[in-house]
Amino acid sequence: MPLHLLFWGCVWFFFYLFFSAGSQNNTFLLWFSSIISVITITTSYVFISNLVPNYLLTQKYWLFLLYTVYACIFTLFGVLLTILLGYVFFFNLEFQNIPTLIKSPSVISICVLFIITLVSGLKILIYNYRALDEKQNLKNKFLETQLQLKEQELKFLKMQIHPHFLFNTLNTLYGFTLKKADEAPDMILRLSNLLDYILYQVEKPLVLLSDEIQHIEDYIALEKMRFQQGLVVHFKKDLYQENLQIAPMLLLPFVENAFKHGNPIQGVLKIDLHLTTTETELVFTIHNSTKKQKESQKGIGLDNIQKRLTMLYHQNFQLQTQLRQNTFTAALIIPLKND
């Protein structure tokens, strides 16, 4: 409101100075500037509060044009009436005494319409600015919602260690406990460490590659206790340096998938893992024996891994799978981040 009062005060002062040329009748100038200002203010608020928002901005152009014509007629009538009243009451019907600029209704109308157009233009600019701001806010909220959904989906995909592993491990642990086997305490410790990693460390955006390797080895050790002589695993590591970081639970699902979908050949399940890192990338290859003849039978494990890799690295990774001669191979290449 203060800005409105200041603006219209300036408009009134403009009218007073502009139309004072050739006139010393200050009383008339005060009266004339005030009446013209009232006409301008009235018409301007009709435009900015009704015609512009209800017709122009809603694309009702013909109605807006029609009402604009009506407003111009009202303005012109007000201007002519003001000149007539001044001619009668202030100049005693002596036309030659009227200031030069005020003798011309067109000049007065142009000044009034200029102010109305300026105010309406400001209204449109403000509306567009607010609309853009609201659009940006909605876009930000939409992106924020999408990010939250992606985070929830990513969290879910991180947790994709199949329940059958825990069930089988607990069954094996139960059997060892009944036999009072020496392996039971070590099995409990490894399972505890693995569950801590799966449930809590998974919340971190990045973990040390060495931690992921340790939990892969714990996982393999637990499976070895369960399979006994029916499992042969080779895990070869060629690491560039120890402080490399990756997303948590990125490699372990490949190992879980190999155990879940692998099949023993002549009574032995064979799994070979090879992990290589350079200064810029990580290469992880895993082979497991299988009797399946269709690669489509690999299950949903790798599909979940594929989704998570896409969310983490977009297209900046390579994942290839191959089934050949009773061996299923998965090969992953990802970029690395250093401390």
Side-chain angles (χ1 to χ4, degrees):
M1 182 61 69
L3 288 177
H4 285 228
L5 293 176
L6 178 61
F7 176 79
W8 292 120
C10 292
V11 169
W12 179 90
F13 191 65
F14 163 75
F15 285 149
Y16 181 84
L17 290 180
F18 185 76
F19 292 110
S20 65
S23 175
Q24 301 298 324
N25 193 335
N26 291 328
T27 303
F28 167 74
L29 290 173
L30 290 172
W31 174 86
F32 178 81
S33 300
S34 298
I35 297 299
I36 294 298
S37 295
V38 169
I39 295 173
T40 305
I41 293 171
T42 302
T43 309
S44 295
Y45 278 106
V46 168
F47 269 88
I48 66 176
S49 63
N50 188 5
L51 300 186
V52 170
N54 294 335
Y55 298 101
L56 180 61
L57 298 179
T58 57
Q59 299 182 355
K60 298 177 182 178
Y61 299 124
W62 287 110
L63 287 175
F64 176 76
L65 181 60
L66 176 63
Y67 291 128
T68 298
V69 171
Y70 291 161
C72 291
I73 293 173
F74 164 79
T75 301
L76 181 59
F77 175 77
V79 169
L80 293 174
L81 183 60
T82 303
I83 295 173
L84 180 61
L85 291 175
Y87 176 65
V88 173
F89 293 103
F90 286 91
F91 296 100
N92 300 320
L93 302 178
E94 296 181 3
F95 187 76
Q96 67 275 10
N97 293 330
I98 300 176
T100 305
L101 292 176
I102 298 176
K103 291 179 181 178
S104 174
S106 59
V107 172
I108 302 172
S109 298
I110 289 173
C111 291
V112 172
L113 293 176
F114 171 77
I115 299 299
I116 295 171
T117 302
L118 177 63
V119 172
S120 300
L122 289 174
K123 173 69 175 181
I124 295 171
L125 288 175
I126 293 172
Y127 173 85
N128 288 334
Y129 174 79
R130 289 177 178 174
L132 288 174
D133 188 53
E134 291 177 0
K135 183 179 180 181
Q136 186 63 40
N137 288 336
L138 288 174
K139 183 179 179 180
N140 291 338
K141 289 180 180 179
F142 176 74
L143 292 175
E144 184 178 349
T145 302
Q146 277 193 322
L147 179 60
Q148 291 175 352
L149 291 174
K150 289 294 185 182
E151 288 175 351
Q152 291 299 320
E153 183 179 358
L154 183 58
K155 185 177 180 180
F156 172 77
L157 292 174
K158 287 178 182 179
M159 303 295 291
Q160 291 302 299
I161 290 293
H162 201 275
H164 90 284
F165 161 74
L166 296 177
F167 179 77
N168 291 335
T169 301
L170 289 173
N171 271 345
T172 304
L173 178 59
Y174 177 70
F176 282 173
T177 304
L178 289 179
K179 297 176 183 179
K180 297 183 180 179
D182 295 337
E183 294 92 338
D186 182 55
M187 193 173 190
I188 292 173
L189 179 61
R190 290 180 183 274
L191 181 60
S192 175
N193 291 337
L194 188 58
L195 289 176
D196 175 74
Y197 184 64
I198 295 172
L199 296 176
Y200 300 109
Q201 303 303 317
V202 75
E203 299 293 336
K204 298 178 180 179
L206 293 172
V207 296
L208 290 174
L209 177 60
S210 58
D211 289 341
E212 182 84 359
I213 292 173
Q214 179 60 53
H215 289 93
I216 290 175
E217 292 175 340
D218 285 341
Y219 187 100
I220 293 172
L222 290 170
E223 293 288 24
K224 282 182 176 180
M225 293 178 188
R226 183 166 68 90
F227 279 88
Q228 297 296 319
Q229 301 301 318
L231 175 66
V232 175
V233 179
H234 298 288
F235 190 4
K236 182 180 179 182
K237 299 177 287 290
D238 297 313
L239 304 182
Y240 170 72
Q241 60 186 61
E242 295 296 327
N243 63 339
L244 299 175
Q245 291 186 318
I246 62 171
M249 292 286 294
L250 192 63
L251 305 181
L252 189 55
F254 284 97
V255 183
E256 192 269 345
N257 191 74
F259 278 98
K260 178 184 175 183
H261 298 289
N263 296 107
I265 302 296
Q266 297 180 348
V268 178
L269 174 62
K270 295 182 180 180
I271 299 177
D272 293 317
L273 304 91
H274 189 192
L275 176 61
T276 303
T277 64
T278 66
E279 187 175 359
T280 58
E281 67 180 16
L282 175 148
V283 181
F284 182 64
T285 306
I286 182 167
H287 310 271
N288 63 269
S289 59
T290 181
K291 295 179 181 178
K292 297 177 181 178
Q293 298 302 313
K294 295 182 179 180
E295 192 171 351
S296 61
Q297 296 176 335
K298 65 188 179 184
I300 64 172
L302 289 181
D303 291 335
N304 288 335
I305 296 171
Q306 178 82 35
K307 290 179 183 179
R308 188 175 174 219
L309 287 167
T310 301
M311 293 175 66
L312 290 170
Y313 299 102
H314 304 289
Q315 301 302 318
N316 193 24
F317 74 93
Q318 297 179 40
L319 176 60
Q320 297 179 345
T321 59
Q322 185 179 47
L323 180 63
R324 185 174 58 183
Q325 296 180 351
N326 292 329
T327 300
F328 181 77
T329 301
L332 172 67
I333 301 176
I334 59 170
L336 281 175
K337 293 184 179 181
N338 297 329
D339 271 344

